[in-house]
Each structure stands twice: as structure tokens, then as C-alpha cells.
Short mmCIF file of all heavy atoms in Angstrom, two decimals:
data_model
loop_
_atom_site.label_atom_id
_atom_site.label_comp_id
_atom_site.label_asym_id
_atom_site.label_seq_id
_atom_site.Cartn_x
_atom_site.Cartn_y
_atom_site.Cartn_z
N THR A 17 12.59 11.57 6.40
CA THR A 17 11.61 12.53 6.89
C THR A 17 10.52 11.76 7.64
O THR A 17 10.40 10.54 7.54
CB THR A 17 10.96 13.30 5.73
OG1 THR A 17 10.20 12.38 4.93
CG2 THR A 17 12.01 13.98 4.87
N MET A 18 9.70 12.47 8.38
CA MET A 18 8.63 11.81 9.12
C MET A 18 7.63 11.15 8.18
O MET A 18 7.09 10.08 8.46
CB MET A 18 7.94 12.80 10.04
CG MET A 18 8.90 13.43 11.06
SD MET A 18 8.10 14.44 12.31
CE MET A 18 7.41 13.17 13.37
N ALA A 19 7.39 11.76 7.02
CA ALA A 19 6.50 11.17 6.03
C ALA A 19 7.09 9.88 5.46
O ALA A 19 6.38 8.89 5.25
CB ALA A 19 6.22 12.16 4.90
N GLN A 20 8.40 9.87 5.22
CA GLN A 20 9.06 8.67 4.72
C GLN A 20 9.04 7.55 5.76
O GLN A 20 8.91 6.38 5.40
CB GLN A 20 10.50 9.00 4.32
CG GLN A 20 10.61 9.84 3.06
CD GLN A 20 12.02 10.34 2.81
OE1 GLN A 20 12.82 10.51 3.74
NE2 GLN A 20 12.34 10.60 1.55
N VAL A 21 9.15 7.90 7.03
CA VAL A 21 9.05 6.90 8.10
C VAL A 21 7.67 6.25 8.09
O VAL A 21 7.53 5.03 8.18
CB VAL A 21 9.33 7.54 9.47
CG1 VAL A 21 8.96 6.58 10.61
CG2 VAL A 21 10.80 7.92 9.58
N VAL A 22 6.63 7.07 7.94
CA VAL A 22 5.26 6.55 7.89
C VAL A 22 5.09 5.62 6.69
O VAL A 22 4.54 4.51 6.81
CB VAL A 22 4.23 7.70 7.82
CG1 VAL A 22 2.83 7.16 7.54
CG2 VAL A 22 4.24 8.49 9.12
N ASP A 23 5.56 6.04 5.52
CA ASP A 23 5.45 5.22 4.32
C ASP A 23 6.20 3.90 4.47
O ASP A 23 5.71 2.84 4.07
CB ASP A 23 5.99 5.98 3.09
CG ASP A 23 5.09 7.12 2.67
OD1 ASP A 23 3.92 7.13 3.08
OD2 ASP A 23 5.56 8.02 1.94
N ALA A 24 7.40 3.95 5.04
CA ALA A 24 8.21 2.75 5.20
C ALA A 24 7.53 1.77 6.16
O ALA A 24 7.51 0.55 5.92
CB ALA A 24 9.60 3.10 5.70
N ASN A 25 6.95 2.28 7.24
CA ASN A 25 6.25 1.40 8.18
C ASN A 25 5.01 0.77 7.55
O ASN A 25 4.71 -0.40 7.80
CB ASN A 25 5.87 2.17 9.45
CG ASN A 25 7.02 2.25 10.44
OD1 ASN A 25 7.76 1.30 10.63
ND2 ASN A 25 7.18 3.41 11.07
N ARG A 26 4.32 1.53 6.74
CA ARG A 26 3.16 0.96 6.04
C ARG A 26 3.60 -0.15 5.10
O ARG A 26 2.95 -1.19 5.00
CB ARG A 26 2.44 2.06 5.25
CG ARG A 26 1.61 2.99 6.10
CD ARG A 26 1.01 4.10 5.27
NE ARG A 26 0.19 4.99 6.06
CZ ARG A 26 -0.27 6.18 5.64
NH1 ARG A 26 0.04 6.59 4.42
NH2 ARG A 26 -1.01 6.93 6.43
N GLN A 27 4.71 0.06 4.42
CA GLN A 27 5.22 -0.95 3.50
C GLN A 27 5.62 -2.22 4.26
O GLN A 27 5.35 -3.34 3.80
CB GLN A 27 6.42 -0.40 2.72
CG GLN A 27 6.92 -1.31 1.61
CD GLN A 27 5.89 -1.51 0.51
OE1 GLN A 27 5.06 -0.63 0.27
NE2 GLN A 27 5.94 -2.65 -0.14
N LEU A 28 6.25 -2.05 5.42
CA LEU A 28 6.63 -3.21 6.22
C LEU A 28 5.40 -3.97 6.72
O LEU A 28 5.38 -5.20 6.76
CB LEU A 28 7.48 -2.77 7.41
CG LEU A 28 8.89 -2.25 7.09
CD1 LEU A 28 9.58 -1.79 8.37
CD2 LEU A 28 9.72 -3.33 6.40
N GLU A 29 4.35 -3.23 7.09
CA GLU A 29 3.11 -3.87 7.54
C GLU A 29 2.46 -4.64 6.40
O GLU A 29 1.97 -5.76 6.60
CB GLU A 29 2.15 -2.81 8.08
CG GLU A 29 2.59 -2.19 9.39
CD GLU A 29 1.74 -1.00 9.78
OE1 GLU A 29 0.78 -0.69 9.05
OE2 GLU A 29 2.03 -0.38 10.82
N CYS A 30 2.47 -4.06 5.21
CA CYS A 30 1.90 -4.75 4.04
C CYS A 30 2.69 -6.02 3.72
O CYS A 30 2.12 -7.06 3.39
CB CYS A 30 1.88 -3.82 2.83
SG CYS A 30 0.69 -2.48 2.94
N ALA A 31 4.02 -5.92 3.82
CA ALA A 31 4.86 -7.08 3.53
C ALA A 31 4.60 -8.18 4.55
O ALA A 31 4.54 -9.37 4.20
CB ALA A 31 6.33 -6.68 3.55
N ALA A 32 4.43 -7.80 5.82
CA ALA A 32 4.15 -8.80 6.86
C ALA A 32 2.81 -9.47 6.61
O ALA A 32 2.68 -10.69 6.76
CB ALA A 32 4.16 -8.13 8.23
N LEU A 33 1.81 -8.70 6.20
CA LEU A 33 0.49 -9.26 5.91
C LEU A 33 0.57 -10.21 4.73
O LEU A 33 -0.03 -11.29 4.75
CB LEU A 33 -0.50 -8.14 5.62
CG LEU A 33 -1.93 -8.56 5.28
CD1 LEU A 33 -2.55 -9.34 6.43
CD2 LEU A 33 -2.79 -7.35 4.94
N THR A 34 1.34 -9.83 3.71
CA THR A 34 1.47 -10.69 2.53
C THR A 34 2.05 -12.04 2.90
O THR A 34 1.60 -13.09 2.41
CB THR A 34 2.37 -10.01 1.48
OG1 THR A 34 1.79 -8.77 1.10
CG2 THR A 34 2.53 -10.90 0.26
N HIS A 35 3.04 -12.05 3.79
CA HIS A 35 3.66 -13.31 4.19
C HIS A 35 2.71 -14.16 5.03
O HIS A 35 2.83 -15.38 5.06
CB HIS A 35 4.94 -13.04 4.98
CG HIS A 35 6.06 -12.55 4.12
ND1 HIS A 35 6.57 -13.29 3.07
CD2 HIS A 35 6.77 -11.40 4.14
CE1 HIS A 35 7.54 -12.61 2.49
NE2 HIS A 35 7.69 -11.47 3.11
N LEU A 36 1.77 -13.51 5.72
CA LEU A 36 0.86 -14.25 6.59
C LEU A 36 -0.38 -14.77 5.85
O LEU A 36 -1.12 -15.59 6.38
CB LEU A 36 0.40 -13.36 7.75
CG LEU A 36 1.46 -13.00 8.79
CD1 LEU A 36 0.90 -11.97 9.75
CD2 LEU A 36 1.90 -14.25 9.54
N VAL A 37 -0.57 -14.26 4.63
CA VAL A 37 -1.77 -14.67 3.90
C VAL A 37 -1.75 -16.17 3.64
O VAL A 37 -0.79 -16.71 3.12
CB VAL A 37 -1.88 -13.90 2.56
CG1 VAL A 37 -2.96 -14.53 1.69
CG2 VAL A 37 -2.21 -12.46 2.84
N LYS A 38 -2.82 -16.83 4.02
CA LYS A 38 -2.93 -18.28 3.81
C LYS A 38 -3.64 -18.58 2.51
O LYS A 38 -3.23 -19.45 1.75
CB LYS A 38 -3.69 -18.89 5.00
CG LYS A 38 -3.83 -20.39 4.92
CD LYS A 38 -4.60 -20.90 6.14
CE LYS A 38 -4.80 -22.39 6.09
NZ LYS A 38 -5.60 -22.88 7.23
N LYS A 39 -4.71 -17.89 2.25
CA LYS A 39 -5.43 -18.09 1.00
C LYS A 39 -6.31 -16.87 0.74
O LYS A 39 -6.61 -16.11 1.64
CB LYS A 39 -6.28 -19.35 1.04
CG LYS A 39 -7.37 -19.32 2.08
CD LYS A 39 -8.16 -20.62 2.07
CE LYS A 39 -9.23 -20.61 3.15
NZ LYS A 39 -10.02 -21.85 3.15
N THR A 40 -6.70 -16.69 -0.47
CA THR A 40 -7.60 -15.60 -0.81
C THR A 40 -8.80 -16.15 -1.56
O THR A 40 -8.72 -17.17 -2.23
CB THR A 40 -6.90 -14.55 -1.71
OG1 THR A 40 -6.56 -15.16 -2.94
CG2 THR A 40 -5.67 -13.99 -1.02
N GLN A 41 -9.91 -15.48 -1.43
CA GLN A 41 -11.13 -15.89 -2.12
C GLN A 41 -11.91 -14.65 -2.48
O GLN A 41 -12.07 -13.76 -1.65
CB GLN A 41 -11.96 -16.81 -1.22
CG GLN A 41 -13.27 -17.25 -1.84
CD GLN A 41 -14.05 -18.14 -0.90
OE1 GLN A 41 -13.55 -18.57 0.12
NE2 GLN A 41 -15.30 -18.39 -1.25
N GLU A 42 -12.38 -14.59 -3.70
CA GLU A 42 -13.15 -13.44 -4.14
C GLU A 42 -14.59 -13.85 -4.39
O GLU A 42 -14.87 -14.98 -4.76
CB GLU A 42 -12.57 -12.86 -5.44
CG GLU A 42 -11.19 -12.23 -5.28
CD GLU A 42 -10.75 -11.52 -6.53
OE1 GLU A 42 -11.62 -11.27 -7.39
OE2 GLU A 42 -9.56 -11.21 -6.64
N TRP A 43 -15.53 -12.93 -4.19
CA TRP A 43 -16.91 -13.17 -4.53
C TRP A 43 -17.52 -11.85 -4.97
O TRP A 43 -16.98 -10.79 -4.72
CB TRP A 43 -17.67 -13.77 -3.34
CG TRP A 43 -17.88 -12.83 -2.20
CD1 TRP A 43 -18.90 -11.96 -2.01
CD2 TRP A 43 -16.99 -12.65 -1.08
NE1 TRP A 43 -18.72 -11.26 -0.87
CE2 TRP A 43 -17.58 -11.66 -0.26
CE3 TRP A 43 -15.78 -13.22 -0.70
CZ2 TRP A 43 -16.98 -11.24 0.91
CZ3 TRP A 43 -15.20 -12.80 0.47
CH2 TRP A 43 -15.79 -11.82 1.27
N ARG A 44 -18.66 -11.96 -5.60
CA ARG A 44 -19.31 -10.74 -6.09
C ARG A 44 -20.03 -10.03 -4.95
O ARG A 44 -20.71 -10.65 -4.15
CB ARG A 44 -20.33 -11.09 -7.18
CG ARG A 44 -19.69 -11.57 -8.47
CD ARG A 44 -20.73 -11.76 -9.54
NE ARG A 44 -20.13 -12.17 -10.79
CZ ARG A 44 -20.83 -12.38 -11.91
NH1 ARG A 44 -22.14 -12.22 -11.91
NH2 ARG A 44 -20.21 -12.74 -13.01
N PRO A 45 -19.87 -8.71 -4.87
CA PRO A 45 -20.56 -7.95 -3.83
C PRO A 45 -22.04 -7.79 -4.15
O PRO A 45 -22.50 -8.10 -5.25
CB PRO A 45 -19.83 -6.60 -3.86
CG PRO A 45 -19.39 -6.47 -5.28
CD PRO A 45 -19.04 -7.88 -5.72
N ALA A 46 -22.79 -7.30 -3.17
CA ALA A 46 -24.21 -7.04 -3.39
C ALA A 46 -24.36 -5.99 -4.49
O ALA A 46 -23.47 -5.16 -4.71
CB ALA A 46 -24.83 -6.55 -2.08
N PRO A 47 -25.50 -6.01 -5.21
CA PRO A 47 -25.70 -5.08 -6.35
C PRO A 47 -25.45 -3.62 -6.01
O PRO A 47 -24.91 -2.87 -6.81
CB PRO A 47 -27.17 -5.33 -6.73
CG PRO A 47 -27.42 -6.74 -6.30
CD PRO A 47 -26.64 -6.92 -5.03
#
């Protein structure tokens, strides 16, 4: 379905981003 196509493309984009991640760093946000 068109909704499934959208979901699948989002998943592929997330997977591509995951593979490109070099490092992550977390910090506390402003109060």
C-alpha cells in the first residue's frame, strides 16, 4: 500500500543513517 511504501522508505533512511553514524554524544539540555 502507499502507507507501507512510506514506512519502508523511512526504515531504509533510518538504516542508512545508522550505518553513517560515526559517534554519538549526549549532554544535558537547558533547564
Side-chain angles (χ1 to χ4, degrees):
T17 65
M18 300 188 76
Q20 289 170 333
V21 169
V22 171
D23 289 342
N25 277 321
R26 285 176 178 167
Q27 187 64 28
L28 291 177
E29 290 171 2
C30 290
L33 179 61
T34 300
H35 287 300
L36 291 172
V37 169
K38 182 180 179 183
K39 63 181 178 179
T40 64
Q41 178 181 349
E42 293 188 15
W43 69 88
R44 290 185 178 182

